[in-house]
Amino acid sequence: MGRRAIVSATAHLGEMKPITSNFAKYQGHHPVVVQKEKESLITKKEAAKRLAISVRTLDRLVAQGLVEKVFVGSSVRLREREIAAIVEQGC
């Protein structure tokens, strides 16, 4: 897996400033994960459809830590490989 860096949500225009989770938590910003290799991300709606569950049930799985969410700006996305693994397991 490639190296990751957490940068501010205002990482556009070439400004990439590392931030801590406390800063993100208290300033209302979501950390952005920047990765070297591209990874397929899907929306919660698409993930719920693939799992044949409601978006609310998927939110519960995320809250339980069974699925990790990724912020793209202020939008939430899920890793396609994690959803595919759940589908393969039949859970």
Side-chain angles (χ1 to χ4, degrees), residues 3-91:
R3 301 184 79 204
R4 298 181 191 182
I6 298 179
V7 296
S8 72
T10 58
H12 61 289
L13 304 175
E15 299 175 16
M16 298 187 70
K17 300 175 185 176
I19 59 172
T20 64
S21 60
N22 287 338
F23 176 84
K25 179 180 176 183
Y26 294 114
Q27 297 299 319
H29 294 102
H30 297 292
V32 177
V33 178
V34 179
Q35 297 179 325
K36 298 281 183 189
E37 71 266 359
K38 292 206 174 195
E39 186 172 44
S40 296
L41 300 174
I42 58 176
T43 64
K44 291 191 309 181
K45 184 176 180 179
E46 178 63 28
K49 183 178 177 182
R50 291 183 188 188
L51 294 170
I53 60 175
S54 69
V55 174
R56 179 65 184 120
T57 300
L58 180 60
D59 286 337
R60 289 184 188 111
L61 295 176
V62 170
Q64 292 171 0
L66 300 174
V67 179
E68 184 181 359
K69 63 183 172 183
V70 177
F71 286 98
V72 178
S74 62
S75 301
V76 174
R77 298 290 185 264
L78 304 171
R79 290 184 173 86
E80 187 173 24
R81 64 180 163 80
E82 285 186 10
I83 301 305
I86 293 171
V87 170
E88 287 178 19
Q89 292 174 359
C91 297

